[in-house]
Amino acid sequence: IFYSGRPFLQNALTSARNRQIHLDLPIGLALVVGFSYSVLNMINGAPHVYFDSMTAVVALLLTGRFFQSKALDRIMREQARFLESDVHFVRLNSESGRELIPLTSLKRLQMAHVLPGEIIPILSYLNSERGDVNYGLLKGEAQSKAIHMGDEILAGAMNGASAIDVVALEDGSESFLLQLQKASRDLYQAKGLYLSLSEKMAKFFVVFTLAAAFGVGLWFMPTSPEEGFRRFAAVLLVACPCIFGFGTPMVIARGFQLGLQRGIIFRSQRALEGLAQVKRFYFDKTGTLTEDQVGVVCAQWNEKHLLHLSLLKKEVFGLFKVLPTLSQHHITMSLEKWAQAQDLPESNANSR
């Protein structure tokens, strides 16, 4: 009771000292009353003791909170992996050469080097002759955009097929991607309407539970003190408002997780809650409705060219599959994905 149930007892004690309502207040009170009443009956030789019930309650509550904690941790880790990737570091071009530094250490007008397929983590302008970038992460458009010397590049763009140099137009600490990550990490601190409402309802329910427990206990106390104690503890345990502490945070966290799995980042809990009120959606461009990756829709083989190069189709498939090791360009990635999905018949695989 006093070791495994320590979290409940501590929260209940802190709540009583600060004259605040906490979900663990009726739990802690029920544990103390049930345990004390059982010890008293044991000393007096009375038959009714509830040590097994008290320990079972502690075990079940701890199990529930353990699974809740694990679920929230898993969601937070998934969210961190989705957002953070490798944008926390940048290759700085300095007099001594290139060095990998934290993005937050990058200063305005410093030059960085970006490899093919990497995310450009800072608002900058191109300092190379030419290049191409993809804004799929920001706009959902898979088509690459050609850029030239001096063109502005938004943070979050993906570099194309060639390495480029960019000059930062802001300090690294002001990067849009870092601000987005910070806003996402603060999702659980900035409470939305439903979570706040749930906490208010929980406080009301705790007060109601305490009042009902004391009322039942006082009602039976004059005729049977034993029955009064037993019913007092039973009401506290049975009417435990744990669902308010478990249910709402889990539902909100699950909503964030489902959004991340579909490439949607919510900036606040209220943004997630507001979806229930949306009646119409307006889309401003086709990129919003299309995939953010290029894909092979139809492929035709040039048999004469394959014969001229003395290549087998299976050899071409093999080349496609190793392309991403040479470049992370979106076209090479799409070819590799298409090659992996093909089930080439043996007769066709050996044809030239």
Side-chain angles (χ1 to χ4, degrees):
I1 297 297
F2 294 99
Y3 178 77
S4 298
R6 182 178 177 182
F8 311 109
L9 298 176
Q10 280 185 332
N11 291 336
L13 184 60
T14 302
S15 173
R17 285 177 177 174
N18 298 333
R19 297 181 180 180
Q20 296 177 343
I21 301 299
H22 193 275
L23 294 178
D24 288 343
L25 181 58
I27 299 174
L29 188 59
L31 293 178
V32 171
V33 170
F35 180 80
S36 301
Y37 180 66
S38 298
V39 169
L40 182 62
N41 281 351
M42 182 181 66
I43 295 174
N44 294 331
H48 300 293
V49 292
Y50 303 99
F51 296 124
D52 55 343
S53 300
M54 296 296 103
T55 52
V57 167
V58 172
L60 291 172
L61 289 174
L62 286 178
T63 301
R65 297 197 179 186
F66 171 78
F67 283 113
Q68 180 198 28
S69 175
K70 286 296 183 183
L72 290 176
D73 288 344
R74 184 176 66 253
I75 293 170
M76 292 292 284
R77 287 196 302 270
E78 183 176 333
Q79 179 174 291
R81 285 196 302 269
F82 181 87
L83 289 173
E84 301 201 0
S85 62
D86 57 354
V87 300
H88 281 283
F89 295 91
V90 63
R91 293 178 185 83
L92 179 67
N93 284 350
S94 61
E95 296 179 356
S96 58
R98 292 178 184 141
E99 57 178 324
L100 197 64
I101 65 171
L103 177 58
T104 52
S105 300
L106 185 69
K107 301 300 180 183
R108 186 175 179 272
L109 299 184
Q110 285 187 320
M111 187 184 302
H113 186 72
V114 185
L115 297 179
E118 287 187 338
I119 298 294
I120 301 172
I122 192 75
L123 178 66
S124 53
Y125 69 83
L126 183 65
N127 199 47
S128 301
E129 287 296 326
R130 63 178 61 86
D132 63 286
V133 294
N134 183 284
Y135 285 111
L137 178 65
L138 301 176
K139 301 179 180 181
E141 296 176 347
Q143 190 66 36
S144 293
K145 175 183 178 182
I147 54 175
H148 302 87
M149 175 78 75
D151 286 352
E152 184 178 276
I153 308 172
L154 300 178
M158 178 180 289
N159 187 26
S162 59
I164 59 174
D165 291 324
V166 298
V167 177
L169 293 176
E170 59 186 2
D171 292 342
S173 58
E174 300 174 354
S175 169
F176 167 74
L177 295 183
L178 293 184
Q179 294 176 8
L180 185 63
Q181 292 169 10
K182 183 180 183 301
S184 182
R185 286 192 294 267
D186 293 340
L187 282 174
Y188 299 98
Q189 280 69 45
K191 298 176 182 178
L193 174 63
Y194 293 135
L195 186 56
S196 300
L197 180 62
S198 175
E199 292 182 351
K200 291 180 180 178
M201 293 174 62
K203 290 180 179 180
F204 170 79
F205 195 79
V206 167
V207 173
F208 176 79
T209 300
L210 291 173
F214 278 106
V216 170
L218 293 175
W219 178 267
F220 285 93
M221 192 67 67
T223 57
S224 175
E226 177 183 331
E227 187 70 10
F229 275 111
R230 190 164 60 85
R231 290 179 180 268
F232 172 78
V235 171
L236 289 177
L237 291 175
V238 172
C240 172
C242 301
I243 188 62
F244 292 103
F246 294 164
T248 308
M250 286 292 290
V251 169
I252 293 175
R254 179 60 174 162
F256 291 150
Q257 183 187 36
L258 292 175
L260 289 176
Q261 292 173 356
R262 290 160 174 78
I264 301 171
I265 303 173
F266 292 98
R267 307 192 75 171
S268 67
Q269 291 186 20
R270 289 186 178 271
L272 174 62
E273 296 167 353
L275 285 179
Q277 308 301 324
V278 174
K279 303 299 182 184
R280 296 181 181 178
F281 288 90
Y282 294 88
F283 300 98
D284 63 337
K285 58 186 183 302
T286 57
T288 310
L289 302 176
T290 55
E291 296 290 341
D292 63 349
Q293 296 179 350
V294 171
V296 178
V297 178
C298 180
Q300 294 181 347
W301 294 92
N302 189 324
E303 301 290 347
K304 293 183 178 180
H305 200 55
L306 286 175
L307 183 63
H308 176 72
L309 296 174
S310 299
L311 283 175
L312 298 174
K313 288 184 179 180
K314 65 178 182 179
E315 294 173 336
V316 178
F317 275 99
L319 291 173
F320 284 164
K321 292 177 181 179
V322 299
L323 279 176
T325 63
L326 306 175
S327 171
Q328 293 293 306
H329 193 272
H330 62 281
I331 292 181
T332 64
M333 298 293 289
S334 65
L335 289 173
E336 186 268 344
K337 185 177 180 180
W338 173 75
Q340 294 284 1
Q342 300 305 305
D343 184 16
L344 194 65
E346 188 65 26
S347 58
N348 292 336
N350 294 326
S351 64
R352 291 186 180 273

